[in-house]
Amino acid sequence: MIPRFDLPPEADRRYVFRPGAYAVLLRGRDILLTRQNGSDRALQLPGGGIDPGETPLRALHREVFEETGWRMAVDRRLGSFRRFAFMPEYGIHAEKLCHIFLGRPGLRIGPPVEPDHDAVWMDADEAVTQLDNAGDAYFLARFLRSGRGAVDHRH
């Protein structure tokens, strides 16, 4: 069963199914995050929606680059979770199916190309308490507790 985080769905609300792919990108004990600078200034794992005809991995690479300006490599899938949320940028209520991947930051090409996004490096333990999404925080904390949380990608 896929775990659900945050609020349960409202019985009388119509939700649009919206799958997405998100990345835990570690360099040592630091993690690359994205901060949306809209009204809520949300701190999140980088990633986003999977467009029709797009694979989860293709969407992940595209979204990470758009939101952070970084290229990345994928190591493996960590899991999935569901959440029900209002998406103000689209004006919809969505049932989000979030696929979480472990990856490595590669080359920084430049600043984020998506408006109102900033790339943020933060200590991974601190990020667990700062992430705005309980599902993001859960998968990051679970990975860190696994004993594989410090990743050296300098080679």
Side-chain angles (χ1 to χ4, degrees):
M1 185 164 101
I2 298 174
R4 179 186 50 81
F5 291 91
D6 299 322
L7 298 173
E10 298 173 27
D12 59 342
R13 171 105 35 221
R14 182 179 175 276
Y15 292 89
V16 175
F17 182 67
R18 185 74 172 134
Y22 303 86
V24 170
L25 299 171
L26 293 171
R27 184 173 60 193
R29 289 295 294 180
D30 292 334
I31 185 168
L32 179 60
L33 303 171
T34 184
R35 182 182 313 275
Q36 287 187 264
N37 293 315
S39 60
D40 61 1
R41 295 194 46 82
L43 190 63
Q44 304 167 344
L45 294 178
I50 301 168
D51 292 335
E54 194 173 38
T55 67
L57 290 178
R58 174 69 188 116
L60 182 64
H61 285 276
R62 176 183 53 75
E63 287 282 350
V64 166
F65 175 72
E66 289 174 358
E67 293 183 355
T68 68
W70 283 77
R71 297 287 185 206
M72 60 161 295
V74 175
D75 290 337
R76 64 185 172 94
R77 184 176 175 276
L78 295 176
S80 298
F81 69 92
R82 292 178 23 194
R83 64 188 292 253
F84 294 84
F86 179 67
M87 299 179 71
E89 63 272 27
Y90 300 106
I92 63 169
H93 288 83
E95 176 186 357
K96 298 184 81 174
L97 177 59
C98 305
H99 303 284
I100 309 297
F101 294 87
L102 176 65
R104 293 166 293 181
L107 179 65
R108 181 177 184 263
I109 303 299
V113 296
E114 192 160 324
D116 298 323
H117 282 72
D118 288 324
V120 176
W121 284 98
M122 181 180 287
D123 175 80
D125 289 317
E126 180 183 350
V128 170
T129 67
Q130 298 297 314
L131 285 163
D132 288 285
N133 174 316
D136 289 355
Y138 169 82
F139 275 95
L140 176 57
R142 188 176 82 171
F143 179 73
L144 294 173
R145 282 191 315 269
S146 74
R148 297 182 301 249
V151 182
D152 185 358
H153 294 300
R154 290 177 294 185
H155 54 276

